[in-house]
Structures are given as structure tokens and as C-alpha cells.
Amino acid sequence: MKKITILVASALIVGLGFTSCSSDDDSNDNNSIVAKWNYNRVKTSVNGIVISDEPYDDDEPTCERDYLDIRANNTAEFGDYYLNPDCVLETYLSAYAKNGNLITVTQDGDSETAEILSVNSNTMVLRFEETYEGMTATNDVSFTKAN
């Protein structure tokens, strides 16, 4: 469940795009996020205190890496590899809508909104929040561009 939450939240944030102060850049924002991205690192904070900052640990050692593929047609595919006993790929297709530095991802009727913190030609960092039992956690998910 945590993995799906991270995947969905990440996709939401990815769609946010990196924007500069100039409104002229707004029409081309998606170009900076449209790519296939591998999960790299997850940092979780509660009330501003970092409680976890670790490499993404759901990649199976003998499989390809889990990924988020953000497409120009406003869809995003999450790829998750499982061992049983061979590498099996499960994919989840979502729609996304970007508004400034926010992205809303919708999958199976459920929507989440996230923020992109940074993106460049090789890395992207997405932020999303989730509330559980009255506590709000901030998750920063780092990605590297897939080759």
C-alpha cells in the first residue's frame, strides 16, 4: 500500500513541472517533466522533522527499476516490478492535469495533488503530503531520468 501511495503521489508531483518566475515559460512547462523517471530516494518529514531519508528500496535486485513515465498526452504510467519468481511488471495508467507548479493525478476515480520541487535534465524531486491519524507527513521523492 505504501508503494502505491508513493507511486501515485509521485506522479502527481511530477506533473507539476518546473516553472520560473516568468509567465512566458508556462506553455512549455510539460516539456521539462515529460520523460521516463526511475525512483531514487524518499525523504519523509513529520512536523518539519526528517524521520526517514533513504534510497528507494522497492526495486527488485534482479529486475529493471520501478519507474514513472510522464507522457506529453497528459497520461502517466507507473511501472512496478515484482519477483514471483521471475520479474513481472505491473503498470498503472493515470491521467494528469498540470496547473502552475501543481499537478493532479487521477486514477480509478481517485485524485491527488502534488507539487514539484525541482526538475532538470537528469533529476526531479516531487513533494506530496499525506495525513494519517491526525499527523501530516511530507514526502519528497527523488527521481533520476531513465536511460
Side-chain angles (χ1 to χ4, degrees):
M1 181 62 119
K2 181 180 179 183
K3 188 173 190 176
I4 295 295
T5 300
I6 289 174
L7 290 173
V8 172
S10 300
L12 294 174
I13 297 171
V14 170
L16 299 176
F18 183 76
T19 60
S20 70
C21 294
S22 171
S23 61
D24 294 349
D25 296 337
D26 221 22
S27 62
N28 294 322
D29 284 345
N30 282 358
N31 292 337
S32 62
I33 61 169
V34 171
K36 185 174 181 181
W37 301 92
N38 294 123
Y39 290 85
N40 188 38
R41 187 165 201 85
V42 179
K43 180 172 80 171
T44 302
S45 303
V46 176
N47 297 330
I49 300 170
V50 175
I51 60 169
S52 175
D53 188 357
E54 301 174 353
Y56 177 77
D57 64 359
D58 284 338
D59 284 330
E60 301 294 347
T62 58
C63 299
E64 292 184 46
R65 296 184 63 195
D66 295 345
Y67 65 86
L68 171 60
D69 187 3
I70 300 174
R71 300 171 180 168
N73 67 355
N74 285 25
T75 62
E77 179 182 82
F78 303 92
D80 193 4
Y81 287 91
Y82 293 97
L83 277 176
N84 60 340
D86 297 323
C87 294
V88 176
L89 173 63
E90 285 190 22
T91 60
Y92 309 92
L93 190 62
S94 299
Y96 74 88
K98 185 175 166 293
N99 184 8
N101 69 335
L102 298 177
I103 182 170
T104 300
V105 176
T106 303
Q107 181 180 27
D108 298 329
D110 294 323
S111 296
E112 284 193 57
T113 299
E115 177 185 3
I116 190 163
L117 297 181
S118 65
V119 65
N120 62 38
S121 61
N122 298 313
T123 61
M124 177 172 61
V125 180
L126 310 172
R127 173 172 284 170
F128 64 97
E129 291 184 350
E130 60 183 325
T131 301
Y132 180 73
E133 295 182 357
M135 294 177 45
T136 300
T138 300
N139 297 289
D140 295 344
V141 181
S142 298
F143 296 85
T144 54
K145 192 171 280 186
N147 294 329

